[in-house]
Amino acid sequence: MKRLGVLTGGGDCPGLNPVIRAVVRKAYQEGYEVIGFKNGWKGIIEGDVMPLDLRSVSGILPKGGTILGTSRTNPYKQEGAVQKVKDNFKKFGLEALIAIGGEDTLGVANRLVKEGLKAVGVPKTIDNDLSDTDYTFGFDTAINIVMECIDRLHTTAESHNRIMVVEVMGRHAGWIAMYAGIAGGADVILIPEIPIKIDEVCAIIKKRHDHGKNFSIVAVAEGAKLDDGEVLQTEKLDDFGHCRLGGIGQHLGELIEKKTGFETRVTVLGHIQRGGSPTAFDRVLGSRFGIKAVELVKQGKFGYMVSLQGNKIVEVPIEKAVGTLKTVDKEFYDMAKTFFG
Ligand code: F6P
């Protein structure tokens, strides 16, 4: 029986297990068996595998996270690791590898394909910042979690006459802040793509309060920039060169309180946004992606990534998707500004 390998890399997100389940279900129908590599690229470097049969994926559809585990390991950052990936690909008798991940994981897959490895990609990230796909799974779940949190913050903000700052994920792209902010009725939204002056934020809030409102909700992406640049939590970099962001919410909250005189509280949602059960949208998208990935293997379309375009699942070169991030454009931001204040 021909054999497929599958791995999940980068930050986890709801919808990974539906992809794994779909890959396994479709693969067995097509006459492949499947093994999973544990903890992203680390698993294929170290030969750490688990068999994935129909029984092992039964019941995982509603489960958040990934049954395979994940890591931010980059084989190109470890001496000899790329060769180990190639050796283990052969040793485990793989026909192809299905790499499920974001820009970093798929970037590695793309480099390996160029070096002759047979791999296809499945795009994943709650940030929704991968190019060449309308949506990545995980995003819908994340924005629904954030929207619910903003709804909850509204009632307590109103009771206490407070400004509530809510910090959400989004390193380089403000999609979560934009979508959840619009859906939750945030009064100001700050994103990495479009810096805003603190005085402008305070003016929006003050104007709203002059018009009779006694509370405001401010949604801020962790990578958002004020006039004084972004706030970093740590300078330690991961294997892909990313530092851990965080702290902009607290910084912003203190400035708003100081400049407006309104009592302000800050909520950092953090990994709550990545946990728990995927929404129906993410379960369906993940399932469709998983099936298409196996079809790409069958057709020998290595170096391609599955993608949602309109309501169709298509394939695009991984190269194209990982080249530049999909960020919020000014037109979208300006639309959201209609609801500021
Ligand atoms: O890339 C997805 C993401 O959730 C980002 O929004 C966030 O900055 C980062 O991962 C957090 O990573 P970690 O899980 O390593 O803290």
Side-chain angles (χ1 to χ4, degrees):
M1 213 177 188
K2 286 185 285 184
R3 183 183 275 178
L4 298 184
V6 57
L7 63 81
T8 53
D12 73 331
C13 80
L16 286 165
N17 285 326
V19 180
I20 296 167
R21 172 177 173 267
V23 165
V24 172
R25 296 279 286 253
K26 179 71 176 167
Y28 278 87
Q29 276 170 21
E30 298 293 344
Y32 297 97
E33 63 177 6
V34 188
I35 57 168
F37 291 99
K38 292 193 191 163
N39 304 315
W41 293 110
K42 190 167 184 279
I44 188 161
I45 294 168
E46 295 174 359
D48 191 4
V49 294
M50 65 188 266
L52 284 175
D53 56 16
L54 292 173
R55 192 182 301 171
S56 58
V57 296
S58 166
I60 68 170
L61 180 65
K63 279 181 78 178
T66 160
I67 59 163
L68 292 176
T70 186
S71 73
R72 296 195 191 273
T73 304
N74 181 353
Y76 286 95
K77 281 281 153 140
Q78 287 176 30
E79 185 75 32
V82 171
Q83 193 51 48
K84 282 187 188 154
V85 170
K86 292 177 182 171
D87 292 347
N88 279 330
F89 186 97
K90 267 202 201 117
K91 180 181 151 197
F92 288 104
L94 298 186
E95 171 80 9
L97 178 70
I98 297 178
I100 312 170
E103 211 217 348
D104 298 331
T105 305
L106 298 183
V108 170
N110 190 41
R111 285 178 77 173
L112 288 167
V113 168
K114 285 188 179 154
E115 295 180 36
L117 201 101
K118 293 178 177 173
V120 301
V122 176
K124 162 246 62 152
T125 164
I126 64 161
D127 293 349
N128 201 38
D129 58 1
L130 252 170
S131 290
D132 264 294
T133 181
D134 290 352
Y135 290 100
T136 45
F137 58 87
F139 175 66
D140 186 67
T141 307
I143 57 175
N144 275 289
I145 293 168
V146 177
M147 179 188 71
E148 195 201 323
C149 291
I150 294 178
D151 286 349
R152 288 173 186 275
L153 289 170
H154 263 98
T155 61
T156 172
E158 193 163 8
S159 304
H160 285 268
N161 302 346
R162 282 174 176 158
I163 312 298
M164 290 292 187
V165 174
V166 53
E167 181 184 307
V168 303
M169 282 187 172
R171 232 198 279 263
H172 308 289
W175 292 113
I176 296 178
M178 290 310 292
Y179 269 70
I182 295 168
D187 303 299
V188 190
I189 304 172
L190 289 88
I191 58 172
E193 295 88 334
I194 301 174
I196 180 169
K197 293 205 179 329
I198 183 66
D199 287 342
E200 199 182 330
V201 174
C202 293
I204 295 168
I205 293 170
K206 275 193 195 142
K207 192 169 162 210
R208 179 177 146 84
H209 288 230
D210 287 348
H211 286 84
K213 288 290 183 184
N214 65 350
F215 72 95
S216 292
I217 306 286
V218 179
V220 55
E222 62 184 345
K225 292 176 190 70
L226 283 174
D227 336 35
D228 60 354
E230 63 194 24
V231 179
L232 307 184
Q233 192 178 50
T234 165
E235 284 177 5
K236 200 171 159 247
L237 302 182
D238 70 17
D239 259 14
F240 290 92
H242 305 300
C243 59
R244 224 185 312 144
L245 291 178
I248 183 76
Q250 188 57 36
H251 178 58
L252 183 64
E254 283 165 16
L255 287 174
I256 291 173
E257 187 165 272
K258 198 167 117 204
K259 285 178 177 272
T260 64
F262 299 132
E263 194 180 8
T264 304
R265 292 286 188 274
V266 178
T267 304
V268 180
L269 293 181
H271 294 80
I272 295 275
Q273 297 161 90
R274 289 220 314 247
S277 192
T279 57
F281 181 88
D282 283 338
R283 293 182 199 192
V284 174
L285 183 59
S287 301
R288 294 176 78 194
F289 275 177
I291 287 169
K292 182 74 176 179
V294 175
E295 285 170 357
L296 292 185
V297 170
K298 226 184 125 192
Q299 294 159 7
K301 290 201 158 165
F302 305 115
Y304 281 82
M305 173 191 100
V306 302
S307 150
L308 177 71
Q309 288 183 11
N311 196 27
K312 294 264 179 287
I313 306 292
V314 299
E315 71 269 13
V316 296
I318 300 178
E319 178 99 45
K320 258 185 91 197
V322 297
T324 39
L325 285 179
K326 181 179 68 190
T327 50
V328 177
D329 57 39
K330 186 149 181 328
E331 190 187 340
F332 193 88
Y333 181 77
D334 285 344
M335 176 277 296
K337 267 179 103 174
T338 315
F339 304 105
F340 283 15

